[in-house]
Amino acid sequence: MATLSLQHIDKIYDNNVQAVFDFNLEVKDGELIVLVGPSGCGKSTTLRMVAGLEDISNGHLLLDGKDITQAPAKDRDMAMVFQNYALYGHMTVYENMAFSLTMRKEDPNVIHKKVLAAAEILNLTTQLNKKPSQLSGGQRQRVAMGRSIVRTPKVFLFDEPLSNLDAKLRGSTRREILLLHKRLKATMLYVTHDQTEALTLADRIVCMSMGHVQQVGTPLELYDTPANLFVAGFIGLPPMNFFDVTVKGGALVGKGMTVKLSEDQKNTLRSYEGKTIVLGVRPENIVLGDDVTIKVTSNENLGMNTLVHGNIKGGDKITGKLRGWCDYKNGDEVKVSFDRMHFFDKETTNAIRGEV
Ligand code: ADP
């Protein structure tokens, strides 16, 4: 059982750089939370404050209701898995996994059982006598996880654990972490800059930008109802297309496009009549139709889909992800419609709610 409560947490480094502003989050028991955002947005700083590796400048951190804001790292009962694995090169896999328990002077029979059980979960049983240098990157990452598992910590912390792996291994190790989470039912905090990892792993995502939490929600909530332009542009690949458009008499009018609004959409945008807003359209919501003409610049076949890059005739750049195998050539014109639209206030950058 482990719940975490992060209350109004700030981080101001000694050089007066404020890396984290008023971070609030209630992590439920057994929840896998992914902190995601671009490099430098304050994810690792937040994780390190939870681990006790960085001081918390303001605010409070509670573990199972107990204030641990000032507690030293070693007393927090958390285990961290780092990007660079941090394994001891001169020790075997077995010794690496047993190390923290040996240091705690646990009964050797108990240590043996715990290491074998973790090795079994992580498919490392046949590797126990090897040194880290004899293992693949993926296996080393599993040893690093094993070292955490044997300690049965209250909370697992992961700092970009997959970023040193190649694309294929990243995918399989990601699935292993997901299985591990299901099996251990442990509370986990996971940091990554990769929105795909966030979408595929998280129970809930915390999306950050420049030290500020932008949105907290399930992967589907962030994908389907992004709170603002930042989240809309960060979650989803290829990223959402954005266009400045004016709300005019039941339609959106922009450079090279006039898109009719449904009754619901008209209601949502009622107070924006005559104003310029930002229209967001995900590439996968662009379908063959008759509202907008794209002048194609390039065509990328992905197998099941085709990415069509170009410009709206007389307007801005656009990328569409069309179903099936298309063979458009540079200069071709394709007529499309948008089957889902997102609207954002141009000044606040917040989503205008109620979109359909
Ligand atoms: P992320 O993990 O999202 O890439 P970090 O938490 O590492 O971001 O960094 C957030 C901000 O804090 C960045 O501007 C970074 O330069 C700054 N920062 C990180 N560590 C320190 C430090 N030890 N001293 C001063 N500034 C730091």
Side-chain angles (χ1 to χ4, degrees):
M1 159 82 189
T3 62
L4 272 178
S5 175
L6 290 85
Q7 303 177 352
H8 302 291
I9 289 181
D10 293 330
K11 177 64 188 182
I12 304 156
Y13 280 109
D14 292 342
N15 58 359
N16 272 335
V17 169
Q18 181 154 1
V20 176
F21 298 78
D22 195 25
F23 192 108
N24 291 287
L25 184 68
E26 298 295 323
V27 184
K28 295 178 207 124
D29 181 42
E31 203 174 19
L32 200 173
I33 296 278
V34 177
L35 305 185
V36 73
S39 178
C41 74
K43 317 177 286 290
S44 298
T45 300
T46 305
L47 196 76
R48 293 170 64 80
M49 285 192 286
V50 172
L53 302 172
E54 288 289 349
D55 290 339
I56 293 172
S57 309
N58 294 305
H60 290 277
L61 175 66
L62 276 62
L63 176 61
D64 288 336
K66 185 171 161 247
D67 196 317
I68 57 160
T69 312
Q70 307 288 345
K74 65 177 180 39
D75 297 339
R76 294 193 179 193
D77 208 359
M78 299 185 190
M80 186 135 159
V81 179
F82 295 93
Q83 178 177 349
N84 58 7
Y85 322 134
L87 300 179
Y88 298 111
H90 61 287
M91 293 183 188
T92 63
V93 167
Y94 184 102
E95 288 162 347
N96 265 285
M97 283 167 58
F99 183 72
S100 65
L101 304 182
T102 313
M103 293 299 283
R104 277 199 223 157
K105 300 204 167 40
E106 281 203 27
D107 176 348
N109 288 325
V110 175
I111 296 180
H112 189 63
K113 269 195 198 143
K114 285 187 174 172
V115 171
L116 291 192
E120 175 81 34
I121 291 174
L122 294 163
N123 208 4
L124 285 170
T125 310
T126 57
Q127 315 294 326
L128 286 171
N129 292 322
K130 291 189 181 165
K131 296 271 173 64
S133 59
Q134 296 169 278
L135 303 180
S136 68
Q139 288 170 327
R140 282 182 219 170
Q141 188 51 271
R142 294 214 295 274
V143 178
M145 287 193 257
R147 220 171 28 178
S148 300
I149 293 172
V150 294
R151 290 175 47 197
T152 48
K154 285 200 157 181
V155 181
F156 286 83
L157 306 173
F158 295 89
D159 193 359
E160 302 260 7
L162 307 186
S163 48
N164 284 349
L165 304 179
D166 64 42
K168 206 169 157 202
L169 256 179
R170 262 204 309 272
S172 58
T173 313
R174 201 170 68 206
R175 287 188 286 280
E176 279 167 15
I177 292 177
L178 204 53
L179 287 176
L180 189 68
H181 176 245
K182 290 216 161 80
R183 189 158 177 172
L184 300 176
K185 299 188 176 66
T187 307
M188 295 182 172
L189 234 58
Y190 184 108
V191 159
T192 179
H193 63 276
D194 180 343
Q195 61 92 39
T196 308
E197 270 175 48
L199 285 175
T200 50
L201 279 175
D203 291 321
R204 281 191 301 155
I205 298 174
V206 179
C207 184
M208 296 179 73
S209 166
M210 299 200 301
H212 294 270
V213 172
Q214 302 293 316
Q215 187 171 5
V216 181
T218 63
L220 182 61
E221 281 166 352
L222 268 74
Y223 174 80
D224 210 34
T225 49
N228 56 34
L229 277 177
F230 179 82
V231 179
F234 192 80
I235 299 287
L237 201 68
M240 193 183 274
N241 298 284
F242 295 117
F243 311 102
D244 279 358
V245 292
T246 305
V247 184
K248 238 185 232 167
L252 298 176
V253 183
K255 275 189 279 174
M257 68 161 104
T258 300
V259 183
K260 281 218 170 92
L261 293 169
S262 69
E263 285 309 311
D264 283 347
Q265 290 168 332
K266 279 187 218 167
N267 277 333
T268 302
L269 295 174
R270 193 164 296 285
S271 61
Y272 286 85
E273 181 63 30
K275 290 190 184 146
T276 299
I277 63 163
V278 179
L279 164 65
V281 184
R282 293 203 183 277
E284 53 272 36
N285 292 127
I286 296 176
V287 294
L288 293 178
D290 51 14
D291 291 322
V292 175
T293 304
I294 301 178
K295 213 163 158 59
V296 175
T297 53
S298 67
N299 181 94
E300 287 179 279
N301 294 108
L302 302 178
M304 278 180 65
N305 308 100
T306 305
L307 289 184
V308 179
H309 306 280
N311 289 286
I312 289 180
K313 215 176 160 189
D316 297 324
K317 277 203 168 79
I318 184 167
T319 293
K321 189 174 184 179
L322 300 181
R323 280 178 73 93
W325 190 280
C326 310
D327 265 321
Y328 297 113
K329 304 274 175 299
N330 190 2
D332 280 356
E333 292 188 359
V334 191
K335 295 201 92 177
V336 297
S337 294
F338 305 146
D339 70 3
R340 171 141 168 69
M341 299 192 278
H342 301 260
F343 310 129
F344 302 91
D345 186 297
K346 200 166 160 51
E347 279 178 9
T348 65
T349 79
N350 288 333
I352 303 169
R353 279 284 166 240
E355 66 274 327
V356 247

